[in-house]
Amino acid sequence: MYFATISADVISYTSLNEIEKRNLEESIHKLIDNLGELYKNEKFYGRLIQGDYIEFALNEPTFALRIALLLKAFVKSLSLEINKKDKTRLKHFSEHGIRLAIAIAPLETFKPEKGIIDGEAIYLSGRAIKRYSTSNKQKVVIKNTMYFCSSNEKIQNEFDVILALLDTIFTRFSPKQSEVIYLKLLGYTEKEIASKLEKYQSTISQHSTAAGWLAIEKAVNYFENYFNHAD
């Protein structure tokens, strides 16, 4: 049986001041609570560790990509003050927000009620993030921020390219575009988003088109259909 795990870390977290770190942590905790309610049937479990490291797990893979992209868009939509002396790290945070890895593989133990995740899936996603972590590095070089891992070679080959392409699309998002994509991934219509954000529907449509929503939607639907019909 395959499970899904998502491991992620905040890029340039050390460039935030203490107030912004706390605000970021509170926002992520709220996101985790919301996702827990939305995906309770999939036994979604999420936790924030040491302020900048995030782990999610689900008892089956279908919604893993949507949830990962929700996390990515959510963090990129946040307006955070970053130490202006460190312009390089400011640029990295603004462009990428977080680095994440999705893993589809078995778990030996998954007990959300006890906070226990153990097995191949969480090891795969965790190792991918640690391999590319920029924490405490003097020179930050970021080539990719979204990775796909699986113990199944066929699944790995199927989705590795899709994650790389989505990575390129998400890097170009502005905070406003990120907010629109986040709400679209939650299932809101453009009319509902316009009302929620108090904007014209035409403005929402422009943000959606500029962000490449049609390509994102196709990728997410393909992923969900694939695992919804997987044996």
Side-chain angles (χ1 to χ4, degrees):
M1 178 179 177
Y2 287 124
F3 291 77
T5 61
I6 301 165
S7 297
D9 68 349
V10 179
I11 294 173
S12 300
Y13 178 77
T14 55
S15 297
L16 300 175
N17 62 43
E18 290 304 312
I19 293 175
E20 292 300 329
K21 285 179 181 177
R22 299 295 83 78
N23 289 341
L24 175 62
E25 290 167 17
E26 288 176 9
S27 296
I28 292 174
H29 279 303
K30 288 179 182 177
L31 174 66
I32 290 172
D33 290 342
N34 290 338
L35 292 174
E37 186 62 29
L38 285 170
Y39 295 101
K40 60 185 176 183
N41 290 338
E42 288 71 34
K43 290 189 177 179
F44 172 89
Y45 173 71
R47 60 190 176 195
L48 177 63
I49 304 169
Q50 296 178 340
D52 66 339
Y53 189 76
I54 303 156
E55 289 183 336
F56 292 167
L58 301 94
N59 67 353
E60 58 94 16
T62 302
F63 298 109
L65 180 59
R66 183 181 297 270
I67 290 170
L69 298 183
L70 278 166
L71 173 61
K72 182 83 165 175
F74 178 79
V75 174
K76 284 204 64 174
S77 73
L78 299 175
S79 297
L80 299 174
E81 290 295 328
I82 299 183
N83 189 341
K84 299 302 186 290
K85 293 180 181 179
D86 199 338
K87 293 182 180 179
T88 300
R89 288 183 179 269
L90 168 61
K91 179 174 180 290
H92 288 317
F93 181 86
S94 299
E95 286 185 356
H96 307 294
I98 62 168
R99 176 188 295 99
L100 65 85
I102 301 172
I104 307 298
L107 283 176
E108 292 177 11
T109 308
F110 179 42
K111 296 181 179 179
E113 68 283 358
K114 295 184 178 180
I116 300 174
I117 313 170
D118 186 48
E120 187 173 6
I122 196 65
Y123 298 151
L124 285 172
S125 59
R127 279 202 300 266
I129 291 303
K130 290 182 174 67
R131 188 181 306 129
Y132 298 105
S133 176
T134 57
S135 298
N136 301 318
K137 291 183 179 179
Q138 293 285 38
K139 185 178 181 181
V140 177
V141 178
I142 298 175
K143 295 181 179 179
N144 304 97
T145 64
M146 291 201 283
Y147 312 97
F148 187 86
C149 316
S150 180
S151 56
N152 182 306
E153 186 177 355
K154 180 178 181 295
I155 296 175
Q156 172 73 37
N157 294 335
E158 187 88 18
F159 293 103
D160 195 37
V161 174
I162 291 176
L163 263 289
L165 292 172
L166 287 171
D167 197 357
T168 301
I169 292 173
F170 269 65
T171 295
R172 299 171 181 171
F173 285 1
S174 68
K176 290 181 180 179
Q177 290 171 344
S178 298
E179 187 173 28
V180 170
I181 295 302
Y182 170 75
L183 292 170
K184 283 209 153 197
L185 286 165
L186 286 175
Y188 287 96
T189 66
E190 289 186 355
K191 183 177 181 180
E192 290 169 335
I193 295 171
S195 176
K196 190 176 183 66
L197 300 182
E198 299 182 342
K199 302 287 184 182
Y200 290 114
Q201 188 172 339
S202 60
T203 301
I204 301 304
S205 180
Q206 288 170 4
H207 286 321
S208 176
T209 300
W213 168 249
L214 289 179
I216 296 166
E217 184 179 36
K218 284 184 178 180
V220 170
N221 287 342
Y222 179 77
F223 187 99
E224 292 179 354
N225 287 332
Y226 182 98
F227 285 105
N228 195 37
H229 295 95
D231 293 330

